[in-house]
Amino acid sequence: MNQPKPDPALLDLSQVEWTVSSHSGGGGDCVRIGTAQGHILIGDTKNPDRPPHVFTPSEVRAFILGARDGEFDHLLNSN
């Protein structure tokens, strides 16, 4: 049985080491990624005070593998 994901609003984010893609251009137009309690956190660099989205490692793995295979390339052209 899967463990429930923690409520992001209740997580202590003070010790999270955030990573931002080098492809963001430094203008704040990117997401930030970190980990807490064995989960992957994805947050908005423009709104760092908002709680991040919480994903399991297997969810992030599926997304990254799909991105590598080009499954989300159509999103690069959406504005």
Side-chain angles (χ1 to χ4, degrees), residues 1 4 11-13 22-28 32-34 43-44 48 54 61 66 69 73-74 78:
M1 181 191 294
L11 290 173
D12 176 10
L13 303 178
S22 62
H23 294 276
S24 68
R32 60 188 191 155
I33 310 267
D44 182 352
V54 179
R61 177 180 166 73
D69 288 344
D73 286 356
H74 65 283
S78 62

Side-chain angles (χ1 to χ4, degrees), residues 29-54:
D29 293 329
C30 200
V31 297
R32 60 188 191 155
I33 310 267
T35 61
Q37 297 179 6
H39 290 84
I40 288 81
L41 311 175
I42 300 180
D44 182 352
T45 58
K46 287 186 179 180
N47 297 291
D49 294 330
R50 287 187 183 167
H53 295 283
V54 179

